[in-house]
Amino acid sequence: MASLDSPITIIRPHLIEFGIGTAAKLGKWAAEKGYRRTLVISDAFNASRIDLLELKGEVTVFAEVTPEPDTANLEKVLAAANGADAELIVGFGGGSAMDLAKLAAVLAGSAQTLHDVVGPNKVQGPRKAALAQVPTTSGTGSEAGIRALVTDPRTMAKLAVESLHMLADIAVIDPALTFSVPARTTAATGVDAMAHCVEAFTNRKAHPMVDIYAIEGTRLVGKYLARAVRDGDDAEARAGLSLASLYGGFCLGPVNTAGGHALAYPLGTRWHVAHGAANALIFPHVLAFNTPAAPEKTKAVMAALGRQTSENTASVFDAAYAFCAELGIEMKLSGLGVPESDLDAMADDAFAIRRLLDNNPRDLTRADIRSIYAAAF
């Protein structure tokens, strides 16, 4: 793990507006910038409430974002973006909407295709349109970062694009937009935010400059997630989770996730399990597996979640499992409709995600991954 004298690059949106009632600040900001044509990329539900953003001028809405978007969904977004000729592109929704907005901002009107830019730093800039991100869930932290993911349906693999050109000009985080998120989704996305923080905190690339966000994000989830699940209108709890999600997004840029996300991805690409739910199910297994390699940090994670444990892996697993299960999250692969016959293929898929597995504090072999899936079944 890195020390204070290790170099690191910290990336943030140029402007962040945070707090209850800030959604309308996007329209004011856009008007001050003189943007006359805006494309909002959203799902059907959030498209019905874009008036909250108070955008002026000509506003085009793409309302067909799907969960875990694939390349076909991206092609529709790009067609809409090319047709709108927007000066401002807004991602309004969860991580799927925000990731598609990032890709639209750099690919619309460009000679580059998605496959030209997969990987780090392949986008040719500068982009033509400004980019705004407005999250409506507390989980992905996508508003803060420079990565976007879409699924290739042919290979059932996530295609990851990373570029500074996908950094938002403004991120508007209004926790009031999350009041309507159902309890089950609140629980799963909250654990996803926590997983970003925990995986960055225990990462081989962990750095003191990021650790402060990682452990505080974990603490915020430990303090507020159960409250928000019980009462979706709890403004303080919703704000706490929105901040945890943002902090998780801060962690993704310079450090990124590790084994937990690598093992969660095949659940989404193969069986369309929501990203947050997949991460929650996998979380206790990988945290316990990693404990021997990061005992002190694991202890700090569990304390931040309000759980006291020994350094014994079984103790860590039991406490982490209980934290998720008590939120009402399904914690068995069989309960999510994943067949046991697919565990080998999932292990192959996960083992191939080196960009994340190589960050894990303890080496995960293909056999280790298969054993974790079996234990989670």
Side-chain angles (χ1 to χ4, degrees):
M1 295 182 185
S3 59
L4 273 173
D5 58 359
S6 301
I8 191 169
T9 301
I10 300 296
I11 300 161
R12 301 284 180 273
H14 299 295
L15 176 64
I16 298 173
E17 296 283 2
F18 182 96
I20 299 288
T22 56
K25 289 192 173 184
L26 178 60
K28 181 180 179 182
W29 173 85
E32 289 174 348
K33 293 289 186 180
Y35 299 133
R36 297 160 296 172
R37 297 184 305 280
T38 301
L39 171 66
V40 179
I41 297 171
S42 189
D43 57 273
F45 170 73
N46 285 301
S48 70
R49 55 176 183 165
I50 62 167
D51 289 349
L52 295 172
L53 306 179
E54 296 189 7
L55 293 163
K56 310 299 182 184
E58 182 181 340
V59 179
T60 303
V61 181
F62 178 90
E64 300 176 43
V65 170
T66 59
E68 304 292 320
D70 60 12
T71 52
N73 201 200
L74 174 62
E75 287 172 6
K76 290 183 178 180
V77 169
L78 293 179
N82 287 323
D85 190 26
E87 297 167 311
L88 171 64
I89 293 176
V90 180
F92 184 42
S96 297
M98 291 188 285
D99 279 9
L100 290 176
K102 290 176 188 176
L103 292 170
V106 296
L107 293 178
S110 168
Q112 289 188 294
T113 68
L114 172 65
H115 290 280
D116 291 331
V117 298
V118 171
N121 307 315
K122 294 182 179 179
V123 173
Q124 297 172 359
R127 64 175 184 242
K128 296 179 180 179
L131 177 63
Q133 301 284 26
V134 186
T136 61
T137 62
S138 298
T140 68
S142 184
E143 69 274 8
I146 58 171
R147 289 188 178 92
L149 301 173
V150 290
T151 299
D152 183 338
R154 293 176 299 115
T155 62
M156 288 187 284
K158 294 270 191 180
L159 302 177
V161 180
E162 177 183 343
S163 173
L164 277 170
H165 295 299
M166 296 195 301
L167 184 65
D169 296 291
I170 182 172
V172 180
I173 301 133
D174 185 345
L177 295 172
T178 70
F179 286 1
S180 58
V181 177
R184 186 181 297 274
T185 306
T186 296
T189 54
V191 176
D192 184 30
M194 178 191 67
H196 293 157
C197 293
V198 171
E199 290 179 42
F201 189 63
T202 57
N203 200 296
R204 281 178 174 163
K205 297 177 183 175
H207 192 283
M209 196 168 178
V210 174
D211 281 355
I212 191 168
Y213 293 113
I215 198 63
E216 178 62 9
T218 304
R219 187 192 69 81
L220 288 166
V221 171
K223 182 175 182 179
Y224 290 118
L225 182 53
R227 273 177 53 178
V229 170
R230 286 193 302 268
D231 179 7
D233 292 327
D234 184 332
E236 182 184 35
R238 289 295 193 181
L241 292 180
S242 292
L243 188 57
S245 182
L246 179 65
Y247 284 173
F250 288 171
C251 293
L252 294 179
V255 176
N256 209 3
T257 53
H261 270 64
L263 270 66
Y265 279 147
L267 279 69
T269 55
R270 286 183 169 272
W271 295 102
H272 307 292
V273 175
H275 180 66
N279 273 291
L281 186 151
I282 292 296
F283 170 69
H285 296 273
V286 175
L287 183 69
F289 178 88
N290 287 339
T291 296
E296 290 302 317
K297 284 201 163 185
T298 302
K299 185 177 180 180
V301 164
M302 298 314 298
L305 293 176
R307 311 281 168 139
Q308 299 301 320
T309 64
S310 69
E311 293 180 4
N312 178 277
T313 57
S315 173
V316 170
F317 175 82
D318 289 344
Y321 186 98
F323 179 86
C324 297
E326 288 167 11
L327 296 166
I329 296 171
E330 174 58 59
M331 297 301 291
K332 294 291 183 182
L333 289 173
S334 55
L336 293 173
V338 176
E340 191 171 11
S341 60
D342 205 44
L343 300 189
D344 281 311
M346 287 168 53
D348 291 338
D349 289 354
F351 187 64
I353 307 176
R354 303 316 309 176
R355 67 184 180 87
L356 301 184
L357 287 182
D358 289 346
N359 296 338
N360 207 59
R362 183 181 175 193
D363 287 339
L364 270 161
T365 66
R366 194 262 183 201
D368 292 328
I369 294 169
R370 179 61 171 79
S371 294
I372 288 175
Y373 284 148
F377 189 77

